[in-house]
Amino acid sequence: MTADNIDPQTGKPGDQTVTIPVVEERLVVGKRPIDGHSVSLTTRPVTESVTVAEELAQEDVSVERVAVGRVVERHPEIREEGDVTIIPVVEERLKVTIELVLREEIHLRRTKRTVTDSREIELTRTEVDIDRT
């Protein structure tokens, strides 16, 4: 390459060839572990009391004895009428012949109600503390 360069000895421009070196940069990337950076975890159980309320179905039974006193030819079956279960009670009475007399019936009446039940229960969870050094 030619350029109007000044001769350092004469101070006059001259024809000199100038060589410009080509420079190349290269990058080398590497990894290395660094001591002193760590993370520690600590776990601990935490227990807390909570109140749980839930509606429960509950069934109560009342017993009513109903006198009947009627003669029957055979033993009546247990039957249900609506929410009442009827259990026949018979006895034998001595006559010239034996006859069944329906002495009474036992009526069991079911009534349903809803109650709320609250109880203290223990729940456990794990909490984590992180310490970065």
Side-chain angles (χ1 to χ4, degrees):
M1 169 166 157
T2 6
D4 292 329
N5 292 332
I6 298 187
D7 189 336
Q9 294 178 352
T10 62
K12 295 185 180 177
D15 289 334
Q16 292 182 353
T17 303
V18 177
T19 304
I20 300 174
V22 177
V23 178
E24 176 180 324
E25 291 181 347
R26 293 186 185 207
L27 176 65
V28 176
V29 178
K31 295 188 234 177
R32 62 184 170 89
I34 298 175
D35 290 333
H37 295 300
S38 64
V39 175
S40 64
L41 299 177
T42 305
T43 61
R44 57 186 160 82
V46 177
T47 302
E48 63 180 305
S49 292
V50 294
T51 300
V52 178
E54 187 66 33
E55 290 188 0
L56 306 174
Q58 189 173 6
E59 190 171 75
D60 296 321
V61 176
S62 64
V63 177
E64 178 184 356
R65 297 176 87 105
V66 178
V68 176
R70 181 175 72 227
V71 176
V72 294
E73 292 183 20
R74 60 180 179 80
H75 197 290
E77 299 288 325
I78 296 175
R79 67 186 189 278
E80 295 205 17
E81 294 179 2
D83 62 349
V84 176
T85 300
I86 299 173
I87 303 170
V89 178
V90 296
E91 68 180 3
E92 292 179 344
R93 291 189 182 163
L94 187 57
K95 250 179 135 175
V96 175
T97 61
I98 297 176
E99 64 182 3
L100 290 177
V101 175
L102 180 59
R103 188 181 69 173
E104 68 177 338
E105 295 176 332
I106 297 175
H107 293 202
L108 303 176
R109 184 172 318 275
R110 288 182 297 278
T111 56
K112 292 184 181 181
R113 60 189 168 104
T114 301
V115 295
T116 300
D117 185 25
S118 295
R119 296 177 188 222
E120 287 286 324
I121 61 172
E122 296 291 322
L123 296 181
T124 301
R125 70 173 186 274
T126 300
E127 289 188 357
V128 177
D129 297 325
I130 301 174
D131 181 27
R132 297 176 190 251
T133 58

